Amino acid sequence: MLHFSKISTQGKDFNLIASGALAFKIHNKILKDEAFQRGSKIQRNMLLGSAPARALNQDRRNVFYVIISDLDKMNIESLCSMIRQERAKGSYAVCQVIPLYYNEPSFKALKTLRQNFDEVIELNKFNLGNSKALMSAEQQQCLITDYSLSMARIMYHVCVKDFAPFNSEQTGQLAYAS
């Protein structure tokens, strides 16, 4: 099941998609964070087939942040189809994968994700300090959740900034507003 949320602010949309139990917990934590609540309108939907229950804005580029856990249990074809169509319109899409198993279906799914997203970040065992892996699954989940929340904040703040090109009259060069 894919959970889809659109956070709109300053005329820009930040789209958050989650699939899997851990991803859904992270999705909810992101939406409850005050960085996403100030001056924003949040719409929560489900992805039906290859499109959100409510249509995306057809006339503008969108930013997508997708978090997937339980990769083995998910059919990612419809998600990748939607992302492929959005990227053709100039949208930007990042996928964060929290793999539970390493097997043939997971490897095929990761290959498909890499072909359809701008960036695919694969999170697995985290190391701290002197390269000792965290032992507790709960500690790993906390670290993954904090990392995901930080990544979502960064993407959201970059998304709402206006990077539209304009001509600089003083230098005669193309510049970007930030």
Side-chain angles (χ1 to χ4, degrees), residues 73-134:
K73 298 177 184 174
M74 181 186 154
N75 178 4
I76 60 166
E77 291 300 321
S78 61
L79 173 65
C80 286
S81 173
M82 182 193 78
I83 296 297
R84 186 173 33 252
Q85 292 169 6
E86 287 295 319
R87 285 185 65 210
K89 295 188 299 186
S91 296
Y92 185 74
V94 172
C95 182
Q96 174 185 298
V97 179
I98 306 165
L100 298 179
Y101 306 105
Y102 287 100
N103 54 25
E104 193 64 28
S106 292
F107 294 133
K108 287 181 180 177
L110 279 169
K111 182 178 180 185
T112 304
L113 290 170
R114 286 187 184 110
Q115 292 170 346
N116 290 284
F117 281 80
D118 292 293
E119 297 290 334
V120 176
I121 303 162
E122 186 179 351
L123 303 179
N124 51 14
K125 294 181 181 176
F126 279 89
N127 296 327
L128 292 176
N130 58 0
S131 297
K132 289 185 180 178
L134 291 173

Side-chain angles (χ1 to χ4, degrees), residues 126 133-143:
F126 279 89
L134 291 173
M135 295 305 221
S136 167
E138 187 175 306
Q139 287 177 318
Q140 286 185 7
Q141 286 184 2
C142 288
L143 193 58

